[in-house]
Amino acid sequence: MNYIKDTKLKTTLGYNVIIEIPKGTANKYELVVPSNDKVECVRKVKGKYPFYYGCFPQTHAPDNDPLDMILLTNKKRNILDVVEVMPIGLIKTVDAGEQDDKILVIDTHEIIPNLYRMRKKALKFLKTYKGKKSQMILDTKIYGVLDALEVIEKCNKVYKNMNKTSAIKVNF
């Protein structure tokens, strides 16, 4: 299964996301391109992820990867779980000169009483997880739901246009 291509982006209540990095690990995992059927460890990070991290299927962000997401949850999740979520905010970053936004999401079927604290913990982690030599610039403002939805839709549109273009190239 190609998680990026075969998983629908939109659901009845929100969006699907794919878990690449489990909460509590100090390893950064990414889907293996081009098959997107498994993850591999690409490096260690400073500290442990205080959240689940992954991406939106059928999206293409400005950093040439699927759009990143941070899942704030108290539920146990596994690598490659597909979770139905609702966006709750946007964290803007620039990494190595490329826009690399992260969409904050929550499970559509979960109530989270400590959401404010979890959002702050996510920002704190993003400030330090790449170490002192990091080229990442972090905007410490958490943008709203409408900003998050706009980024998701733009990245989905780019993905669709790329697939149309590659399908045309294959046919000629």
Side-chain angles (χ1 to χ4, degrees):
M1 172 179 183
N2 183 321
Y3 281 87
I4 300 301
K5 186 178 94 177
D6 298 334
T7 306
K8 289 184 178 181
L9 174 63
K10 295 182 181 181
T11 68
T12 306
L13 299 175
Y15 296 90
N16 280 317
V17 294
I18 303 153
I19 303 293
E20 293 174 287
I21 303 172
K23 181 178 181 178
T25 186
N27 295 324
K28 178 168 176 49
Y29 296 93
E30 291 183 354
L31 282 164
V32 177
V33 178
S35 63
N36 296 310
D37 62 345
K38 61 186 174 185
V39 296
E40 68 181 3
C41 182
V42 293
R43 73 172 177 272
K44 292 265 188 203
V45 299
K46 295 213 175 254
K48 293 183 178 181
Y49 281 85
F51 45 73
Y52 293 92
Y53 192 92
C55 62
F56 285 86
Q58 299 184 7
T59 60
H60 189 84
D63 65 346
N64 291 313
D65 285 327
L67 179 62
D68 294 335
M69 70 82 196
I70 293 171
L71 174 61
L72 304 176
T73 183
N74 291 314
K75 291 183 179 180
K76 171 94 171 89
R77 299 293 181 180
N78 296 305
I79 291 177
L80 296 179
D81 278 355
V82 175
V83 182
E84 183 181 41
V85 300
M86 294 181 300
I88 61 164
L90 164 69
I91 297 175
K92 294 182 179 184
T93 71
V94 175
D95 194 1
E98 296 178 321
Q99 183 179 340
D100 192 13
D101 296 333
K102 282 90 172 82
I103 307 294
L104 293 169
V105 300
I106 58 172
D107 186 315
T108 56
H109 307 289
E110 181 180 10
I111 296 171
I112 304 175
N114 55 346
L115 189 56
Y116 178 78
R117 193 170 61 236
M118 290 173 98
R119 288 169 32 141
K120 292 295 183 188
K121 201 173 192 179
L123 271 177
K124 183 178 178 184
F125 177 79
L126 290 174
K127 286 179 188 177
T128 60
Y129 82 112
K130 289 195 171 189
K132 292 180 181 178
K133 295 180 182 179
S134 172
Q135 297 179 25
M136 187 173 84
I137 301 165
L138 172 68
D139 183 342
T140 57
K141 175 182 176 184
I142 296 178
Y143 292 81
V145 174
L146 294 178
D147 296 309
L149 292 172
E150 182 180 338
V151 170
I152 295 166
E153 292 305 317
K154 281 181 181 177
C155 291
N156 178 240
K157 188 174 184 176
V158 170
Y159 175 85
K160 287 178 180 177
N161 287 338
M162 286 176 56
N163 285 331
K164 285 179 188 175
T165 303
S166 64
I168 291 169
K169 289 179 183 174
V170 171
N171 292 333
F172 287 109

